[in-house]
Amino acid sequence: MVSQGSSPSLLEALSSDFLACKICLEQLRVPKTLPCLHTYCQDCLGQLAEGSHVRCPECRESVPVPPTGVAAFKSNFFVNGLLDLVKARAGGDLRAGKPACALCPLMGGASAGGPATARCLDCADDLCQACADGHRCTRQTHSHRVVDLVGYRAGWYDEEARERQAAQCPQHPGESLRFLCQPCSQLLCRECRLDPHLDHPCLPLAEAVRARRPGLEELLAGVDSNLAELEATRLEEKEALARLREQAAKVGTQVEEAAEGVLRALLAQKQEVLGQLRAHVEAAEEAARERLGELESREQVAREAAAFARRVLSLGREAEILSLEGAIAQRLQQLQRCPWMPGSAPCLLPRLELHPGLLDQKCHLLRLSFEEQQPRKASGKDGARSQGGDETQPQSRDGAPTPKQDGAQTPQEDGAQTLKAERAETPQEDGAKTPKEGRAQTPQEDGGAQSPRGGRSNKKRKFKGRLKSISREPSPAPGPNLEGSGLLPRPVFFCSFPTRMPGDKRSPRITGLCPFGSREILVADEQNRALKRFSLNGDYTGAVPVPEGCSPCSVAALQDAVAFSAGARLYLIRPNGEVQWRRALSLCQASHAVAAMPSGDRVAVSVSGHVEVYNMEGSLATRFIPGGKASRGLRALVFLTTSPQGNFVGSDWQQNSLVVCDGLGQVIGEYRGPGLHGCQPGSVSVDKKGYIFLTLREVNKVVILDPKGSLLGDFLTAYHGLEKPRVTTMVDGRYLVVSLSNGTIHVFRVRPPDS
């Protein structure tokens, strides 16, 4: 980029993409300049014209088309001159490698001329050695600059050629533009000067430039001043954004530390209460054992005495009974006088008393406050004062000042230790059924111990062990305004079905899904080279024939057509298998994601970091890089979809983020936070309200984001039957279809938050 205030060199203009059309990406042909100073090919502008207006592809400014068409736009003589210079450097017989002399045929020779060795910069002709020597000896051409052709082709004389180059009149071929008509502001040659502009005051071009250059330089200086202000403002915005990110990281660390502190305190209280409970139970059991032993001993003595007396009374003779009467009576009276209970012992039953804060939904241990950023002063004194002096109290959104805090603000400043129970919200709160309804939910997201399920193999347990540090990382919880009021969509299990058909030779490998008609989906089975049709209920309704040898990867349904990528090609076929067109794609990417535009008449495909959009005829409608040219080579969109609002949503594996951009490539939002759990972002789908559903295959999750790419929370987890989810799609804006690695498809109805 040329720095502000410096003059661009001719070499930069010739070697950069300045002479390339931003629409067809080729060298400009018949360049026309719009009022916004952007130059394009005349034919390209004709294709972009919509009625009486044309919208600039770069600045999006709407420009009225002249009544005579796009040909009436101003011709860019500056670009034409540079193009003539480029064409002259590459001219001649390219196949033979030796350009011919331009003057030999004019001297009556029958041949096409000898090989050229020199070039006249004034006449713009290639000359042989003889003609070059004679060119210097005539009165009219002795002052012309004749240079070596090899050096000219190498670019050694570009500056001189540019100075001696003359713009040609479009009305009179062969005549150079020499004058400027002041009333008409039109460039004229000698013929134009003598015919319609004879009575108009005209100036030679050099004099006209000297007269008008100061005004243009003054305007340019004003624009440079505005650019300096814009650059300073842009730097301030970047600094503010950097400060915001730095402060957000700091607050995030404080939140983590505060939450860990609360959890540690809660766990310590848990151990303390459980210890008290165990001590109480052990003491009560010991006392009970002593009392039980004494009771058993007394019971045994009483039973033996009663048994002896009962035997004597039943089996003894009269003399025997009377002889033992005194001893038996004394013993029985002694036993009756002894207390049967060794003494009453209190039995204290434990009972747990919960703090009211645990049951209070309005109790927030962590709360954010926001303050306006103060612009940093340029002087050192002011900076020192802002850092070491009085700090501004943070203000909440309603303007009320909030207490200053070192860490995260908690309601425990008054001494009452309130603990907020983290409610593990699951989609089962609305009564939804899941494919794994009989399995116990594990506290995986709360950091608790995960017990292995009954049918798991050792291999799967080892795999889960390798992902322990990832899968147990808690997802960022949605904000209190969403969590408490239920403003997030909820999944309701609809059905589940396999995709393997009797004729399949291999296990299905689903690489693409898309809606196909009403309540029907189209499944791209790359392993069996098929496009299968299923209803939402799982009924197989047929297949869309594909060209022989093609293994469809990503698929999208358009108006009466199906687009899919296979290898490095993009196909558009009819439902009966008839191929409409095919386009070759870049080999820099292993697979290409395909998505249908909301209008249904165009298809978008990701190609090595940028997005190309084709119409139904196979012509390239537009092409852009998310984030603009500054992101060239920094993107790798592996999954792509479109929203009903016309935005593009993609999974960028190079930046490890989810990016949302408009149709011009301007980034609306990008998420690369901890909610990805360190995983590569997977398949993406968007419902009718713009909510984004992102698949995280390694942790068996589908998370939900708002239309601008901010994480809201988990939507589907392993509890819903997700085991290595691969691709997803949205049908009718309210059914989320998820395919698993084993070829099974789960369908969930997206329950709106307001239902």
Side-chain angles (χ1 to χ4, degrees):
M1 180 179 294
V2 180
S3 61
Q4 179 181 341
S6 62
S7 299
S9 65
L10 182 61
L11 180 61
E12 291 177 352
L14 295 179
S15 60
S16 66
D17 58 352
F18 178 72
L19 299 180
C21 176
K22 301 303 185 298
I23 299 177
C24 63
L25 303 180
E26 297 179 0
Q27 194 176 76
L28 287 164
R29 298 185 298 273
V30 192
K32 294 293 181 179
T33 302
L34 300 179
C36 59
L37 300 185
H38 291 134
T39 303
Y40 307 99
C41 301
Q42 178 176 321
D43 294 340
C44 295
L45 286 177
Q47 296 178 4
L48 287 182
E50 300 176 355
S52 60
H53 287 77
V54 61
R55 186 177 294 275
C56 177
E58 294 184 72
C59 65
R60 309 306 297 170
E61 182 177 344
S62 181
V63 178
V65 178
T68 56
V70 295
F73 280 123
K74 186 176 289 295
S75 298
N76 195 327
F77 292 107
F78 171 65
V79 174
N80 280 330
L82 296 179
L83 289 174
D84 291 341
L85 185 59
V86 172
K87 293 175 182 177
R89 285 171 52 179
D93 190 355
L94 297 178
R95 286 173 292 182
K98 297 180 180 180
C101 178
L103 294 185
C104 288
L106 301 179
M107 299 174 63
S111 64
T117 60
R119 181 177 179 84
C120 178
L121 300 183
D122 294 271
C123 301
D125 289 330
D126 294 335
L127 308 175
C128 63
Q129 188 60 44
C131 293
D133 295 338
H135 203 69
R136 298 186 182 96
C137 298
T138 63
R139 183 183 299 274
Q140 293 182 347
T141 61
H142 76 280
S143 61
H144 287 194
R145 175 73 165 134
V146 180
V147 299
D148 178 59
L149 185 60
V150 176
Y152 175 77
R153 292 290 180 86
W156 298 349
Y157 306 102
D158 286 345
E159 298 290 344
E160 291 187 62
R162 180 64 180 156
E163 292 176 0
R164 297 171 181 267
Q165 193 179 38
Q168 301 297 316
C169 178
Q171 304 293 335
H172 304 92
E175 291 289 335
S176 60
L177 299 173
R178 301 171 180 266
F179 306 98
L180 173 69
C181 178
Q182 292 181 317
C184 303
S185 295
Q186 184 176 349
L187 298 177
L188 308 175
C189 65
R190 287 187 303 178
E191 298 295 334
C192 298
R193 175 75 176 83
L194 296 176
D195 190 13
H197 302 273
L198 182 61
D199 297 331
H200 296 179
C202 298
L203 292 176
L205 294 184
E207 184 178 347
V209 169
R210 285 194 300 270
R212 300 197 175 195
R213 182 184 292 272
L216 292 177
E217 290 179 347
E218 182 179 356
L219 294 175
L220 182 59
V223 173
D224 288 339
S225 176
N226 292 340
L227 286 176
E229 296 179 0
L230 289 174
E231 183 176 3
T233 305
R234 178 172 56 84
L235 293 177
E236 291 178 0
E237 288 290 338
K238 287 187 175 181
E239 291 179 359
L241 182 59
R243 291 196 297 271
L244 173 62
R245 290 173 176 171
E246 179 182 359
Q247 183 67 16
K250 180 179 177 181
V251 172
T253 304
Q254 294 173 351
V255 170
E256 294 287 346
E257 293 176 353
E260 291 177 0
V262 172
L263 290 177
R264 284 195 297 267
L266 182 61
L267 292 176
Q269 292 187 20
K270 167 191 168 184
Q271 297 298 332
E272 181 182 358
V273 172
L274 291 179
Q276 294 175 358
L277 182 61
R278 284 193 297 268
H280 174 73
V281 172
E282 290 175 358
E285 288 179 349
E286 183 66 24
R289 281 194 295 268
E290 294 179 359
R291 295 173 64 247
L292 287 174
E294 187 175 355
L295 289 174
E296 290 175 356
S297 176
R298 293 188 180 186
E299 181 182 3
Q300 184 178 1
V301 171
R303 285 184 183 277
E304 291 177 354
F308 179 78
R310 190 172 288 108
R311 286 192 187 97
V312 171
L313 291 176
S314 61
L315 301 177
R317 300 179 67 82
E318 291 81 355
E320 297 172 349
I321 295 174
L322 293 175
S323 65
L324 295 174
E325 175 188 6
I328 293 175
Q330 182 180 0
R331 182 57 175 168
L332 293 180
Q333 291 175 1
Q334 182 182 0
L335 291 176
Q336 286 183 357
R337 288 195 299 269
C338 290
W340 288 96
M341 298 299 295
S344 60
C347 184
L348 303 178
L349 297 178
R351 179 176 298 174
L352 179 63
E353 295 182 0
L354 296 178
H355 193 281
L358 291 174
L359 306 176
D360 187 5
Q361 296 183 359
K362 297 182 180 180
C363 177
H364 302 285
L365 294 180
L366 305 177
R367 182 175 300 168
L368 284 178
S369 62
F370 300 92
E371 63 178 344
E372 293 185 1
Q373 291 191 21
Q374 300 296 332
R376 295 187 176 180
K377 304 296 183 180
S379 62
K381 294 182 179 179
D382 293 340
R385 186 182 302 114
S386 63
Q387 295 177 3
D390 296 336
E391 296 184 2
T392 305
Q393 281 191 346
Q395 293 185 355
S396 59
R397 293 189 176 181
D398 57 0
T402 61
K404 207 170 67 173
Q405 54 192 359
D406 295 333
Q409 181 180 359
T410 66
Q412 299 192 12
E413 297 176 357
D414 56 355
Q417 297 183 356
T418 59
L419 299 173
K420 180 182 178 182
E422 294 291 338
R423 295 176 298 147
E425 288 191 5
T426 65
Q428 296 300 306
E429 293 175 359
D430 56 4
K433 297 181 180 179
T434 67
K436 297 189 177 181
E437 189 171 314
R439 297 183 179 179
Q441 183 179 5
T442 59
Q444 181 177 356
E445 296 179 2
D446 294 334
Q450 181 178 0
S451 60
R453 290 174 182 165
R456 299 285 184 177
S457 63
N458 292 332
K459 182 178 180 181
K460 291 185 178 179
R461 293 177 185 175
K462 292 180 180 179
F463 177 76
K464 284 185 173 292
R466 289 196 299 267
L467 292 179
K468 180 178 179 182
S469 60
I470 297 177
S471 61
R472 291 187 178 180
E473 181 180 353
S475 300
N481 58 334
L482 296 176
E483 182 183 12
S485 56
L487 295 180
L488 288 179
R490 296 290 182 188
V492 178
F493 179 71
F494 185 74
C495 71
S496 177
F497 57 90
T499 58
R500 183 162 188 172
M501 294 292 104
D504 292 345
K505 298 181 180 179
R506 300 179 180 179
S507 298
R509 185 172 184 265
I510 302 176
T511 56
L513 289 173
C514 73
F516 191 74
S518 176
R519 295 176 63 86
E520 191 171 339
I521 58 175
L522 192 62
V523 179
D525 185 353
E526 188 179 39
Q527 197 78 351
N528 294 292
R529 298 182 176 181
L531 291 176
K532 305 175 183 178
R533 297 171 54 183
F534 292 89
S535 68
L536 280 183
N537 297 323
D539 299 327
Y540 179 70
T541 58
V544 176
V546 298
E548 186 176 358
C550 287
S551 298
C553 178
S554 182
V555 64
L558 283 74
Q559 297 175 355
D560 298 328
V562 175
F564 68 93
S565 62
R569 289 183 178 272
L570 176 65
Y571 292 84
L572 185 73
I573 62 176
R574 295 293 182 187
N576 58 4
E578 179 185 357
V579 179
Q580 297 297 306
W581 50 261
R582 60 173 62 88
R583 293 291 180 269
L585 303 176
S586 173
L587 296 175
C588 300
Q589 193 167 334
S591 61
H592 302 272
V594 177
M597 300 297 292
S599 57
D601 58 351
R602 289 180 296 169
V603 59
V605 58
S606 62
V607 182
S608 64
H610 62 269
V611 177
E612 295 180 355
V613 180
Y614 294 88
N615 56 23
M616 296 291 290
E617 290 74 25
S619 301
L620 182 63
T622 184
R623 175 184 179 185
F624 64 87
I625 302 174
K629 293 183 179 179
S631 301
R632 178 175 295 175
L634 302 178
R635 297 284 186 185
L637 301 180
V638 179
F639 294 94
L640 182 69
T641 189
T642 58
S643 68
Q645 294 76 22
N647 297 328
F648 293 85
V649 184
S651 296
D652 186 354
W653 279 23
Q654 187 161 343
Q655 298 295 328
N656 197 28
S657 65
L658 179 132
V659 60
V660 183
C661 62
D662 59 14
L664 302 178
Q666 184 176 359
V667 175
I668 299 175
E670 187 168 5
Y671 180 77
R672 53 169 63 92
L676 298 181
H677 303 284
C679 307
Q680 293 280 19
S683 178
V684 286
S685 300
V686 183
D687 68 358
K688 58 184 178 181
K689 292 190 176 182
Y691 286 104
I692 302 170
F693 300 86
L694 173 64
T695 303
L696 302 178
R697 184 170 181 265
E698 290 87 345
V699 294
N700 298 327
K701 283 186 179 182
V702 174
V703 297
I704 183 171
L705 302 94
D706 67 8
K708 293 186 178 180
S710 299
L711 184 68
L712 299 179
D714 294 341
F715 185 74
L716 297 175
T717 62
Y719 181 78
H720 299 87
L722 294 192
E723 187 171 356
K724 296 182 182 179
R726 184 177 291 276
V727 290
T728 64
T729 189
M730 188 67 64
V731 180
D732 296 338
R734 57 194 182 97
Y735 290 95
L736 182 65
V737 182
V738 185
S739 69
L740 308 183
S741 297
N742 60 5
T744 304
I745 286 183
H746 292 335
V747 182
F748 297 89
R749 183 170 62 86
V750 180
R751 181 179 179 181
D754 52 356
S755 63

